[in-house]
Amino acid sequence: MIETRSAATALNKHKSLQQFFSWLVAEEELDVSPLARVRQPRKRKKLIPIIGEDETRKVLATCDRRTFAGARDEAIIRMFANTGARLSEVANLRLDDLDMSLDTALYHGKGAKDRKVRFGPKTGRALSRYIRIRSQHRGAQLDQLWLAEKGAAPLSDNGIQMMLSRRGHAAGVDHLHAHRWRHTYAHEWKRAGGDTGDLMVVLGWSSDEMPRHYGASAAAERAQETQARLRIGEDV
């Protein structure tokens, strides 16, 4: 399976079979698990590259804010870049999840965990612009914040990902997806000396492993910046 699929897929299958055969042993259907001597496959961690401000500007430049799709897509992209949210969290936003007077959004995260985050002035203006244009849309009566360009239907998370792929291709930015901004958000937070505990709250994490995983893509860059700032061994 490692050769034909991936180590991650093989690892998931191994874990499932391990539980199944352990149950058979406990029920005395088997004396020994066939996986007792089968080593668990190693899952190689892939480093997701961060996305720079120049690349984000190029993607935003493809959005004609005078049109419904352009105004909507700019607001979505700014929400990813400005709040570091998951794809599903942005996709599932409803109109009443936004508080435009306080510049906050209520995200519905994994495990039914809600959290409120702040967004900046540029994101606020993009949201206001989209909401004004949205009021003239056929699906304006729907509760979902993001609407498909045609018809009275909400825009799904898959629809958002397809939009990002199109915008990325038009801007010359390869492999554009929402999680790149999430990694970038964590990187910039750590780079600015932000507290890890606060970052976990903002991004909706409950495991200490997540900040390390999301910061791994740019950890070397931060380490080199720290090394240059500390000037260790330069004053001898």
Side-chain angles (χ1 to χ4, degrees):
M1 184 160 287
I2 293 174
E3 294 174 354
T4 59
R5 302 287 183 84
S6 69
T9 301
L11 178 59
N12 288 335
K13 295 294 185 182
H14 184 281
K15 289 180 178 179
S16 299
L17 289 171
Q18 200 170 40
Q19 292 180 353
F20 175 62
F21 287 128
S22 295
W23 175 77
L24 288 177
V25 170
E27 291 294 315
E28 299 182 350
E29 296 289 340
L30 292 176
D31 293 329
V32 180
S33 169
L35 288 184
R37 295 186 179 181
V38 178
R39 186 174 299 176
Q40 191 176 81
R42 291 185 178 182
K43 179 183 176 182
R44 187 178 66 179
K45 291 185 177 180
K46 295 182 179 179
L47 295 179
I48 298 178
I50 62 174
I51 180 168
E53 290 183 352
D54 288 342
E55 291 177 302
T56 299
R57 289 192 191 98
K58 290 178 181 178
V59 177
L60 287 171
T62 69
C63 302
D64 183 355
R65 60 181 59 170
R66 296 170 298 180
T67 66
F68 174 82
R72 180 200 64 190
D73 296 353
E74 179 188 359
I76 290 174
I77 291 166
R78 288 194 179 277
M79 286 297 283
F80 285 128
N82 195 199
T83 68
R86 300 178 178 94
L87 172 61
S88 60
E89 292 171 342
V90 171
N92 293 333
L93 280 173
R94 295 177 174 269
L95 273 171
D96 57 9
D97 288 329
L98 296 180
D99 189 332
M100 301 304 292
S101 63
L102 297 177
D103 292 339
T104 60
L106 180 64
Y107 284 138
H108 306 287
K110 289 183 177 180
K113 294 179 181 178
D114 292 351
R115 71 183 188 284
K116 188 170 288 188
V117 300
R118 294 185 65 87
F119 49 79
K122 289 185 178 180
T123 302
R125 286 195 292 272
L127 285 168
S128 295
R129 187 181 303 112
Y130 165 66
I131 291 172
R132 287 197 303 272
I133 297 178
R134 181 190 184 281
S135 66
Q136 305 301 317
H137 193 276
R138 286 178 59 188
Q141 77 283 354
L142 296 176
D143 293 332
Q144 290 87 349
L145 176 59
W146 313 115
L147 302 179
E149 187 173 5
K150 298 179 179 179
L155 183 67
S156 66
D157 51 359
N158 186 56
I160 291 178
Q161 184 52 58
M162 291 174 64
M163 176 273 290
L164 293 176
S165 296
R166 290 195 304 270
R167 296 287 182 189
H169 180 73
V173 178
D174 295 330
H175 309 298
L176 184 66
H177 52 83
H179 252 58
R180 288 189 63 184
W181 280 296
R182 192 164 169 82
H183 278 260
T184 301
Y185 193 96
H187 164 58
E188 294 296 341
W189 183 286
K190 297 292 288 183
R191 188 180 186 185
D195 181 76
T196 299
D198 291 341
L199 176 63
M200 291 177 65
V201 173
V202 170
L203 294 186
W205 289 330
S206 56
S207 169
D208 293 338
E209 177 63 26
M210 298 310 293
R212 289 191 292 271
H213 170 62
Y214 274 76
S217 298
E221 180 182 338
R222 294 198 302 273
Q224 290 170 4
E225 290 174 353
T226 301
Q227 181 185 28
R229 185 179 72 253
L230 294 178
R231 293 171 50 84
I232 296 174
E234 297 235 354
D235 297 326
V236 296

